[in-house]
Amino acid sequence: MEKSQKINPFILHILQGVDKEIERRLEGITLKIAGNNHSVPVERVTSEDFWILTRILEKNPYINGLDVRYNLINDAGAHYAAKLLQKKYDLIYLNLMFNDIGPKGGELIAKALHKNTTLKYLRMTGNKVEDKGGMFFAAMLQINSSLEKLDLGDCDLEMQSVIAFATVLTQNQTIKGINLNRPILYGEQEESTVHLGHMLKENHCLVELYMSKHDVRNYGLKQLCDALYLNKSLRYLDVSCNKITRDGIVFLAAVLKSNTTLEVIDLSFNRIENAGAKKLSETLASHNRSLKALSVVSNSIEGEGLVALSQSMKTNPTLSNIYIWGNKFDEATCMAYSDLIQTGRLKPDDTDVEPYVVDGHVYLAEVSNGLKKHYYWTPTYGEACNLSSNAGFSLVPVCKQL
């Protein structure tokens, strides 16, 4: 009525459902208004709609999470989000991923977090806040002491802000998870891994580090591995979608012999081949007893390497989750993983393959399990955060996945 604005039917539909939850005296509700939710008629949320939402939320003690991913919220909407962070002191989760927030909006939200003491998890994924906005978020981490997880993946960060985050995280002692996926890097010197490696030597609080699409090569992986000899807090390392080959795996296999904290490693979409897989399997079979999950999806590994990894699971009691789809399966591979599943050593929910038999021959089919299948999207029916599809988050629970 204040704005004389028409009601967005999508928001109305969601709020009616929340009213029923509040009537049942439920607290800690996350308001989920995802613009890519096709199970109900969707009119995506605009900045004006978001203003109305913030007015509703300011005075509602039952709701402590807000998910407005894939909508049409721009820098004007970011202004309202900043106001909400300044006024609503029980909001612990805010998901703004893949809206239209730019550097100015990023600055407004980052500055609002200077005084906010309750928000635990902020997702800005896919908003083009660029290097300028990234610098404001890095500066915010020097002041804020309550935020535990920050996702700035696909935000067009550049080297300056990546270095700023690496510098700030040598001092910040509250951030447990940070996502810096897909920065725009122009050099060939792998500076980002040098700085992040230095950060890992100094930081004793960070549990999750996401470095997907960082153009990491073997030298870069060596920088990270050198730091992991000293780091005793990191449990989840994501270096998927990089340029790591079997030569880089030598450094990782060596550090895994002495590192006792790493529990999840995502090597998906690299090129470690048979030699890299065999090097890892040797370490896992005889030395490492802390790693719980390993993803080598799409790594140009053939039967020999895949069988070696399956053999390591027979002597390693800790490794519970392994993901191998996208490699070159032969009959020996199919038999090996079929045996692991049938004997109960590998649970069907803990891998992304399932054996089936045709004319007496065993084959492997793909199953929709993984470390973080629902990072960019969640299913419109069924359990959105089921453990088999998002094993990484359940093995290393950093911040509540609302």
Side-chain angles (χ1 to χ4, degrees):
M1 286 166 68
E2 264 180 63
K3 284 260 188 181
S4 33
Q5 188 179 323
K6 76 177 185 67
I7 295 167
N8 182 324
F10 179 39
I11 295 179
L12 185 62
H13 173 82
I14 299 290
L15 291 176
Q16 285 167 342
V18 170
D19 280 344
K20 289 172 187 169
E21 291 186 48
I22 291 172
E23 281 170 20
R24 301 207 313 265
R25 290 277 179 256
L26 294 178
E27 290 189 31
I29 298 166
T30 296
L31 196 58
K32 295 181 179 177
I33 311 181
N36 63 342
N37 182 346
H38 300 297
S39 61
V40 291
V42 167
E43 183 183 316
R44 294 194 177 193
V45 177
T46 63
S47 294
E48 288 70 31
D49 296 328
F50 191 68
W51 177 83
I52 292 169
L53 261 181
T54 58
R55 293 299 301 271
I56 293 165
L57 292 179
E58 274 173 31
K59 302 176 177 67
N60 194 310
Y62 295 97
I63 297 169
N64 68 3
L66 177 60
D67 180 348
V68 285
R69 67 179 83 186
Y70 293 100
N71 281 298
L72 303 172
I73 298 163
N74 56 23
D75 286 350
H79 169 75
Y80 300 131
K83 292 283 186 198
L84 183 67
L85 289 169
Q86 288 167 341
K87 292 180 181 177
K88 186 170 172 62
Y89 292 120
D90 47 9
L91 193 71
I92 61 171
Y93 173 65
L94 179 59
N95 187 342
L96 292 163
M97 66 186 283
F98 289 99
N99 278 281
D100 297 323
I101 298 169
K104 183 63 186 170
E107 177 186 347
L108 291 167
I109 291 169
K111 286 184 173 175
L113 287 169
H114 285 200
K115 293 182 179 176
N116 181 288
T117 57
T118 52
L119 195 74
K120 300 288 184 193
Y121 186 8
L122 174 65
R123 285 200 74 176
M124 292 294 293
T125 323
N127 289 289
K128 306 307 177 191
V129 300
E130 300 174 359
D131 216 36
K132 186 182 174 189
M135 292 299 288
F136 284 107
F137 278 105
M140 174 272 293
L141 291 183
Q142 291 182 296
I143 300 162
N144 182 290
S145 59
S146 58
L147 197 67
E148 292 180 5
K149 196 166 178 179
L150 176 62
D151 191 333
L152 288 169
D154 303 283
C155 284
D156 289 3
L157 303 179
E158 292 178 25
M159 185 60 76
Q160 186 185 12
S161 52
V162 172
I163 292 171
F165 278 110
T167 307
V168 168
L169 287 173
T170 56
Q171 303 295 325
N172 184 297
Q173 294 301 309
T174 51
I175 284 282
K176 295 192 176 83
I178 190 153
N179 188 320
L180 300 172
N181 286 351
R182 213 218 68 187
I184 297 173
L185 307 175
Y186 297 104
E188 293 288 317
Q189 289 95 351
E190 299 194 70
E191 284 179 73
S192 66
T193 55
V194 173
H195 288 280
L196 288 167
H198 174 70
M199 177 273 292
L200 285 174
K201 289 178 183 176
E202 304 286 327
N203 183 295
H204 302 293
C205 183
L206 197 67
V207 176
E208 286 182 352
L209 176 61
Y210 296 89
M211 292 178 61
S212 183
K213 304 170 195 163
H214 256 255
D215 217 13
V216 178
R217 296 175 176 80
N218 298 326
Y219 172 75
L221 187 62
K222 182 181 185 296
Q223 297 297 314
L224 296 174
C225 290
D226 288 348
L228 290 172
Y229 283 105
L230 300 173
N231 184 287
K232 294 289 179 269
S233 65
L234 196 73
R235 293 166 59 198
Y236 191 137
L237 176 63
D238 181 347
V239 283
S240 59
C241 306
N242 282 299
K243 296 178 180 176
I244 298 164
T245 70
R246 59 188 184 179
D247 298 334
I249 295 299
V250 172
F251 307 118
L252 183 60
V255 79
L256 284 175
K257 288 180 180 177
S258 58
N259 181 290
T260 56
T261 49
L262 268 176
E263 293 179 9
V264 179
I265 298 178
D266 192 344
L267 283 165
S268 311
F269 304 99
N270 282 286
R271 196 180 177 83
I272 71 170
E273 300 178 303
N274 276 352
K278 286 163 77 175
K279 198 77 191 166
L280 275 178
S281 62
E282 285 166 21
T283 300
L284 293 171
S286 55
H287 294 88
N288 184 281
R289 291 295 179 269
S290 58
L291 196 70
K292 294 178 181 176
L294 173 67
S295 177
V296 288
V297 169
S298 297
N299 260 281
S300 302
I301 307 171
E302 296 172 355
E304 193 182 346
L306 293 167
V307 170
L309 285 170
S310 75
Q311 292 295 327
S312 70
M313 291 193 77
K314 292 180 178 176
T315 53
N316 184 323
T318 318
L319 188 65
S320 59
N321 297 55
I322 189 161
Y323 304 95
I324 61 167
W325 188 258
N327 293 297
K328 298 167 186 173
F329 299 162
D330 59 7
E331 192 157 0
T333 305
C334 298
M335 289 292 292
Y337 286 89
S338 175
D339 288 346
L340 282 177
I341 292 168
Q342 285 176 354
T343 56
R345 172 62 190 90
L346 182 59
K347 292 179 182 171
D349 279 353
D350 294 343
T351 184
D352 57 350
V353 291
E354 181 178 36
Y356 66 98
V357 180
V358 176
D359 294 338
H361 293 281
V362 178
Y363 299 93
L364 295 176
E366 185 183 16
V367 181
S368 187
N369 296 338
L371 291 174
K372 50 178 185 4
K373 282 279 182 186
H374 299 147
Y375 174 69
Y376 287 114
W377 60 279
T378 50
T380 52
Y381 60 89
E383 197 180 345
C385 296
N386 65 348
L387 302 184
S388 59
S389 295
N390 303 283
F393 298 135
S394 56
L395 289 168
V396 182
V398 167
C399 200
K400 192 180 176 190
Q401 298 293 318
L402 295 161

